[in-house]
C-alpha cells in the first residue's frame, strides 16, 4: 500500500478569528480499479476555506486534491487491485493565521472481474508465424496469427495490414497489438500484402492487388472456420484495419466499389479478377464489420458513403509523416472520422 496523510495547519493568532475545529476522523472511500482519471473519489467535508495538499503517500501521483477538499483520480495507471488493495493517505489543509493538523484518508480499491474482449483474461498466446493465406504469391501472402492458447470460445477476428513502403515492411510493428488483443480473446492476423520490389508495377495495379490480398486473408479465415476450424473465428465478427500505409490499403477495402473507378480502370480490374481478385480462397465473403485505421491516410475520402461500415481511428496529432487531418492531398484520421460523422457512419477517434 501507499501511505498519504492530510495535514491541516492550525496555528492560532491572538488577534485573529478562532481557528476552525477539525474533524480528525479517518476518511474512508472506495473506488473500482481502473477508474478513469478525473473521477471524484470523495470530499473531506471541512466546512471552512483553506488550501489542501497531500503531505505523504502520493509520491506516484495517483490522486489529487483541490481547495474544496475534493479528492480525484489523477492517474489510474496504478489503480490495479492486484498491485494495491488500498491506499493510505495523509492530506494537508492550510488555514490563514492557523497552524497544522493531519487527517488520515484510506482509499480502498475494489476488484473488478476481468471482461473478455476488454481485459487480458488469457495468460498464454499462441503465434503461428509466416502462415500462407493465398495461392497467388507466397513471397507476399503471409501473416502472423495470434490467438489465446486456452480459449475455446468463438473469437472475433482482426485482420490488420503492416506499414511500410511499396517495396515491403515488417510485421514486427504489429507484435504488440497482436499479443495484447489475443490475451483479451481475439484472433489477430498481421498480414503482409503485395509488394513491388522491382518497381515493375504501376501504383494502380499494385494497390488493387494489395487490397485483393486483404480480401484473400479475410476469406482464409472463413474457409478455415468451415473446413478445419483451427482458429475458431466467429465469422459474424470480423474486422479489418492497417497501420500507416496498411491503413491506406484497408481504407480502400472498407469503402471500395465499382462506381469509384472509370471504365478504363474497371477494365484493368477485370483482368485482375475483379475487386475480389483471384489471390486465394474463392467462394467466401470478404466483408467485415468495421475498419480500424492506425496512423494511415487516404486521398479517396469521397469514397465514404452513408450506410457504410464504421471506422475507428487511432492517430497522433503530432505525426511527422502522416497527416492527422489534411496535408499534401491526403486525409488523416481526424478527416476520416469527421467525414463519417457528417454521413451518419458510426465512428470513434482516439488521439
Amino acid at each position: 500500500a501507499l501511505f498519504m496523510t492530510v495535514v491541516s495547519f492550525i496555528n492560532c493568532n491572538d488577534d485573529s478569528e478562532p481557528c476552525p475545529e477539525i474533524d480528525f476522523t479517518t476518511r474512508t472511500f472506495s473506488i473500482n480499479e481502473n477508474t478513469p482519471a478525473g473521477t471524484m473519489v470523495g470530499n473531506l467535508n471541512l466546512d471552512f476555506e483553506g488550501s489542501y495538499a497531500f503531505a505523504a503517500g502520493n509520491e506516484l501521483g495517483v490522486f489529487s486534491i483541490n481547495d474544496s477538499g475534493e479528492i480525484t483520480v489523477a492517474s489510474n495507471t496504478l489503480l490495479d487491485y492486484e498491485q494495491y488493495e488500498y491506499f493510505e493517505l495523509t492530506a494537508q489543509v492550510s488555514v490563514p493565521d492557523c497552524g497544522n493538523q493531519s487527517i488520515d484518508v484510506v482509499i480502498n480499491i475494489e476488484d473488478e472481474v476481468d471482461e473478455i474482449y476488454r481485459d487480458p483474461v488469457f495468460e498464454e498466446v499462441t503465434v503461428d508465424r509466416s502462415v500462407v493465406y493465398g495461392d497467388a504469391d507466397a513471397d507476399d501472402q503471409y501473416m502472423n496469427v495470434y490467438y489465446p492458447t486456452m480459449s475455446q470460445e468463438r473469437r472475433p477476428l482482426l485482420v490488420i495490414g503492416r506499414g511500410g513502403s511499396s517495396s515491403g515492411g515488417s510485421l514486427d510493428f504489429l507484435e504488440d497489438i497482436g499479443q495484447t488483443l489475443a490475451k483479451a480473446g481475439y484472433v489477430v492476423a498481421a498480414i503482409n500484402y503485395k509488394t513491388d520490389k522491382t518497381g515493375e508495377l504501376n501504383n494502380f495495379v499494385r494497390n488493387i492487388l494489395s487490397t485483393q490480398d486483404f480480401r484473400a486473408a479475410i476469406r482464409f479465415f472463413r474457409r478455415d472456420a468451415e473446413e478445419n476450424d483451427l482458429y475458431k473465428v466467429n465469422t459474424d465478427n470480423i474486422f479489418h484495419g492497417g497501420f500507416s500505409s496498411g491503413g491506406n490499403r484497408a481504407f480502400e477495402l472498407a469503402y471500395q466499389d465499382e462506381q469509384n473507378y472509370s471504365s478504363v480502370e474497371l477494365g484493368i480490374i477485370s483482368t485482375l479478377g475483379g475487386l475480389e481478385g483471384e489471390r486465394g480462397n474463392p467462394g467466401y465473403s470478404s466483408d467485415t464489420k468495421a475498419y480500424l485505421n492506425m496512423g494511415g491516410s487516404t486521398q479517396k475520402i469521397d469514397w465514404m458513403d452513408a450506410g457504410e461500415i464504421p471506422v475507428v481511428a487511432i492517430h497522433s496529432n503530432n505525426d511527422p509523416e502522416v497527416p492527422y487531418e489534411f496535408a499534401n492531398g491526403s486525409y488523416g484520421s481526424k478527416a476520416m472520422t469527421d467525414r463519417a460523422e457528417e454521413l451518419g457512419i458510426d465512428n470513434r477517434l482516439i488521439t
Side-chain angles (χ1 to χ4, degrees), residues 153-320:
E153 301 283 339
R154 283 281 149 198
R155 307 157 179 163
L157 166 69
L158 172 65
V159 174
I160 185 165
R162 55 139 180 98
S165 67
S166 60
S167 60
S170 174
L171 297 183
D172 293 345
F173 288 103
L174 302 176
E175 183 75 16
D176 284 348
I177 190 172
Q179 293 280 350
T180 299
L181 291 181
K183 288 180 179 179
Y186 292 82
V187 177
V188 179
I191 71 165
N192 191 55
Y193 49 86
K194 183 63 181 176
T195 58
D196 183 22
K197 297 180 176 63
T198 62
E200 296 177 352
L201 299 175
N202 64 47
N203 288 341
F204 179 79
V205 170
R206 187 189 68 248
N207 289 347
I208 293 296
L209 294 176
S210 298
T211 306
Q212 290 176 348
D213 280 348
F214 272 82
R215 294 184 182 278
I218 294 164
R219 293 194 299 262
F220 171 93
F221 288 97
R222 285 198 165 99
R223 179 178 180 178
D224 172 74
E226 182 176 300
E227 295 182 357
N228 302 311
D229 205 22
L230 173 62
Y231 297 107
K232 295 181 170 53
V233 166
N234 180 345
T235 56
D236 292 327
N237 281 307
I238 295 179
F239 309 86
H240 83 282
F243 169 71
S244 191
S245 60
N248 176 284
R249 305 270 51 78
F251 177 93
E252 295 198 9
L253 170 60
Y255 305 113
Q256 179 187 60
D257 55 51
E258 290 189 353
Q259 70 181 14
N260 302 133
Y261 298 100
S262 68
S263 58
V264 173
E265 291 172 332
L266 287 174
I268 297 171
I269 292 171
S270 178
T271 66
L272 299 173
L275 294 180
E276 284 292 331
E278 298 173 341
R279 296 180 66 78
N281 313 300
Y284 296 89
S285 171
S286 62
D287 291 345
T288 68
K289 291 189 70 173
Y291 156 57
L292 170 65
N293 179 53
M294 298 178 64
S297 65
T298 182
Q299 295 181 332
K300 302 169 182 175
I301 200 166
D302 58 336
W303 283 17
M304 300 177 76
D305 294 318
E308 295 188 305
I309 64 173
V311 52
V312 176
I314 304 171
H315 208 138
S316 168
N317 57 3
N318 293 315
D319 191 324

Side-chain angles (χ1 to χ4, degrees), residues 77-211:
T77 305
L78 295 177
L79 292 185
D80 180 0
Y81 180 82
E82 282 67 33
Q83 295 187 64
Y84 301 103
E85 296 183 14
Y86 61 92
F87 294 83
E88 290 185 343
L89 322 175
T90 305
Q92 163 180 307
V93 55
S94 178
V95 180
D97 298 320
C98 294
N100 61 52
Q101 292 288 346
S102 64
I103 301 172
D104 292 330
V105 178
V106 176
I107 301 177
N108 294 307
I109 307 303
E110 302 290 340
D111 192 17
E112 285 189 329
V113 177
D114 286 338
E115 184 177 332
I116 193 169
Y117 310 133
R118 186 195 69 183
D119 301 309
V121 299
F122 300 102
E123 293 184 1
E124 296 184 14
V125 172
T126 298
V127 185
D128 295 344
R129 299 190 185 275
S130 300
V131 176
V132 176
Y133 62 81
D135 53 23
D137 190 346
D139 288 338
D140 283 333
Q141 293 181 302
Y142 63 88
M143 60 185 173
N144 295 338
V145 184
Y146 304 79
Y147 54 99
T149 303
M150 302 304 294
S151 171
Q152 297 301 312
E153 301 283 339
R154 283 281 149 198
R155 307 157 179 163
L157 166 69
L158 172 65
V159 174
I160 185 165
R162 55 139 180 98
S165 67
S166 60
S167 60
S170 174
L171 297 183
D172 293 345
F173 288 103
L174 302 176
E175 183 75 16
D176 284 348
I177 190 172
Q179 293 280 350
T180 299
L181 291 181
K183 288 180 179 179
Y186 292 82
V187 177
V188 179
I191 71 165
N192 191 55
Y193 49 86
K194 183 63 181 176
T195 58
D196 183 22
K197 297 180 176 63
T198 62
E200 296 177 352
L201 299 175
N202 64 47
N203 288 341
F204 179 79
V205 170
R206 187 189 68 248
N207 289 347
I208 293 296
L209 294 176
S210 298
T211 306

